[in-house]
Amino acid sequence: PRPIPSLSLLSHTRSTPLLPARRLPSRLSVPAVAAAAAAGGSSSPERVTILSPAPNRRRIVSSIIIDAPVRAAWAVLTDYERLAEYVPNLAMSRRREHPRGGIRIEQCGVQSILGFKFKASVVMDMTEEIAMENSQRRILFSMFESRDFAKFEGVWHMTPLGEKCRLRYEVEIQPRGLIPVKAIEWRIKKDLPGNLIAVKSKTESLTEADLREAE
């Protein structure tokens, strides 16, 4: 699945068979995320951009600079089984069997919307792409099934900046049922900066030994 048009500079695509999950070290605590958020400056994500491609659909985009190389962000984001350990409001993330040996992930988040607890789940197929010539990497995700969304697809895009990298997140959503898209939009806009900060903090905590083990 390629929910966002492919970039011509991305020359290598990998779909990984279902394998035992890699185990990155778990050093990130909730206070560490809060401290990073309070610090501001380079720890802060760019302003969240919201577009409306259709009346009941939203495209939400933001990015953050990470003081670590692309391969470190890649190691964190492709450790699918452990994302829920440090991404706020993500209650569960696990690999599902894919009939063609690809990457299928089930994720569940718990949010408070309009005063009610809203539990949303989605099963996504992931496509991992690596640009051999310039070290950019992308993880594209496309909804396979969901009782809560009619559309949920997007991309994690990692661009090298010397010894650092820029991590960009883009998602396009369309809810099912009675939940208005405006409420989902508001919730994601509120939570996305904290999620990006959590990924940044986890990425920056990895050592070279951690990266060699993950690879």
Side-chain angles (χ1 to χ4, degrees), residues 38-104:
S42 62
S43 295
S44 301
E46 294 183 355
R47 183 176 65 86
V48 177
T49 299
I50 300 177
L51 305 173
S52 301
N56 199 40
R57 188 181 303 170
R58 295 292 185 270
R59 182 177 296 123
I60 302 169
V61 183
S62 188
S63 64
I64 195 168
I65 303 298
I66 297 177
D67 295 321
V70 163
R71 60 193 279 259
W74 181 265
V76 168
L77 291 171
T78 57
D79 190 15
Y80 301 111
E81 295 277 357
R82 298 190 67 188
L83 289 175
E85 293 182 13
Y86 47 85
V87 175
N89 302 311
L90 184 59
M92 180 267 289
S93 180
R94 66 183 180 185
R95 295 285 294 265
R96 289 267 299 266
E97 185 174 356
H98 192 291
R100 295 182 298 279
I103 308 169
R104 181 162 290 171

Side-chain angles (χ1 to χ4, degrees), residues 87-122:
V87 175
N89 302 311
L90 184 59
M92 180 267 289
S93 180
R94 66 183 180 185
R95 295 285 294 265
R96 289 267 299 266
E97 185 174 356
H98 192 291
R100 295 182 298 279
I103 308 169
R104 181 162 290 171
I105 306 297
E106 180 181 5
Q107 292 187 342
C108 179
V110 179
Q111 306 284 353
S112 178
I113 297 178
L114 301 178
F116 297 94
K117 285 291 184 181
F118 176 67
K119 183 177 180 181
S121 63
V122 59

Side-chain angles (χ1 to χ4, degrees), residues 80-214:
Y80 301 111
E81 295 277 357
R82 298 190 67 188
L83 289 175
E85 293 182 13
Y86 47 85
V87 175
N89 302 311
L90 184 59
M92 180 267 289
S93 180
R94 66 183 180 185
R95 295 285 294 265
R96 289 267 299 266
E97 185 174 356
H98 192 291
R100 295 182 298 279
I103 308 169
R104 181 162 290 171
I105 306 297
E106 180 181 5
Q107 292 187 342
C108 179
V110 179
Q111 306 284 353
S112 178
I113 297 178
L114 301 178
F116 297 94
K117 285 291 184 181
F118 176 67
K119 183 177 180 181
S121 63
V122 59
V123 178
M124 299 173 288
D125 288 331
M126 322 295 280
T127 301
E128 300 175 355
E129 296 184 342
I130 301 175
M132 296 302 192
E133 64 272 23
N134 60 12
S135 301
Q136 292 193 44
R137 303 189 185 195
R138 301 197 308 180
I139 304 170
L140 297 98
F141 51 92
S142 178
M143 188 185 79
F144 171 69
E145 64 182 15
S146 174
R147 68 176 185 273
D148 304 299
F149 295 98
K151 186 181 185 69
F152 191 98
E153 62 185 34
V155 60
W156 290 98
H157 193 166
M158 290 146 272
T159 304
L161 301 172
E163 295 301 312
K164 303 180 181 182
C165 70
R166 179 186 298 278
L167 175 64
R168 182 173 183 269
Y169 177 79
E170 177 176 345
V171 65
E172 187 165 321
I173 59 165
Q174 181 176 337
R176 296 186 191 273
L178 300 178
I179 298 295
V181 71
K182 191 71 176 177
I184 302 290
E185 167 196 323
W186 173 83
R187 189 72 254 180
I188 293 178
K189 182 179 180 180
K190 181 178 175 64
D191 292 341
L192 181 53
N195 292 347
L196 290 173
I197 289 169
V199 173
K200 169 185 169 73
S201 299
K202 178 64 177 178
T203 301
E204 293 175 354
S205 77
L206 299 183
T207 65
E208 185 62 31
D210 295 332
L211 295 178
R212 287 196 298 269
E213 181 180 350

